[in-house]
Amino acid sequence: QLQVVESGGGLVQPGGSLRLSCAAASGFTLDSYAIGWFRQAPGKEREGISYISSSGAITNYADSVKGRFTISRDNVKNTVYLQMNSLKPEDTAVYYCAARRFRVSNWSATRLYDYWGQGTQVTVSS
């Protein structure tokens, strides 16, 4: 089965930026998959924060990150990115990349995604 791997997390100061990457494990490509980014903070439910269709033509964002985060994909590089700007302490969470082969009507519903990465920690703190 498809395996996706997140990278790029770390510690950043409030107002700073970070770029997360989502890549497929060896032998797979992401060009036929819609990708969602999710995050989960301690004690909270997993939250859908962004989505991009397989072609990149459609993107969605949660209100909490709209205007600050940008999702993109480079199917030649076989990578999906989440550029996070103007980071806030409340953005601190484990961030997950998830994939689904077909378009999802409710992009933020975790149950609609088939493959999940291991997560990468993002900590926003001074």
Side-chain angles (χ1 to χ4, degrees), residues 4 14-15 39 48 68 74 85:
V4 292
R39 67 186 183 187
R68 300 188 297 120
D74 186 338
N85 298 326

Side-chain angles (χ1 to χ4, degrees), residues 34-77:
I35 300 294
W37 282 100
F38 297 78
R39 67 186 183 187
Q40 188 165 22
K44 295 185 177 181
E45 296 291 321
R46 189 166 297 184
E47 173 192 18
I49 56 172
S50 193
Y51 164 90
I52 189 166
S53 62
S54 60
S55 69
I58 300 172
T59 59
N60 293 99
Y61 299 92
D63 288 341
S64 58
V65 306
K66 193 174 298 181
R68 300 188 297 120
F69 291 10
T70 302
I71 192 170
S72 63
R73 68 189 305 155
D74 186 338
N75 284 341
V76 174
K77 295 182 178 180

Side-chain angles (χ1 to χ4, degrees), residues 1-5 23-29 78:
Q1 297 189 65
L2 173 68
Q3 295 184 48
V4 292
V5 180
S26 179
F28 294 92
T29 59
N78 198 29

Side-chain angles (χ1 to χ4, degrees), residues 10-32:
L11 175 65
V12 64
Q13 294 183 346
S17 297
L18 214 55
R19 188 179 75 165
L20 305 183
S21 297
C22 175
S26 179
F28 294 92
T29 59
L30 293 179
D31 59 356
S32 62

Side-chain angles (χ1 to χ4, degrees), residues 44-120:
K44 295 185 177 181
E45 296 291 321
R46 189 166 297 184
E47 173 192 18
I49 56 172
S50 193
Y51 164 90
I52 189 166
S53 62
S54 60
S55 69
I58 300 172
T59 59
N60 293 99
Y61 299 92
D63 288 341
S64 58
V65 306
K66 193 174 298 181
R68 300 188 297 120
F69 291 10
T70 302
I71 192 170
S72 63
R73 68 189 305 155
D74 186 338
N75 284 341
V76 174
K77 295 182 178 180
N78 198 29
T79 304
V80 175
Y81 303 99
L82 184 68
Q83 178 67 46
M84 306 185 295
N85 298 326
S86 302
L87 284 163
K88 306 174 181 179
E90 51 263 45
D91 294 319
T92 296
V94 177
Y95 283 70
Y96 297 90
C97 174
R100 185 172 180 87
R101 185 174 295 274
F102 302 107
R103 185 182 71 87
V104 296
S105 298
N106 185 357
W107 65 267
S108 64
T110 60
R111 63 181 176 84
L112 299 181
Y113 291 82
D114 302 309
Y115 311 105
W116 292 81
Q118 82 291 342
T120 185

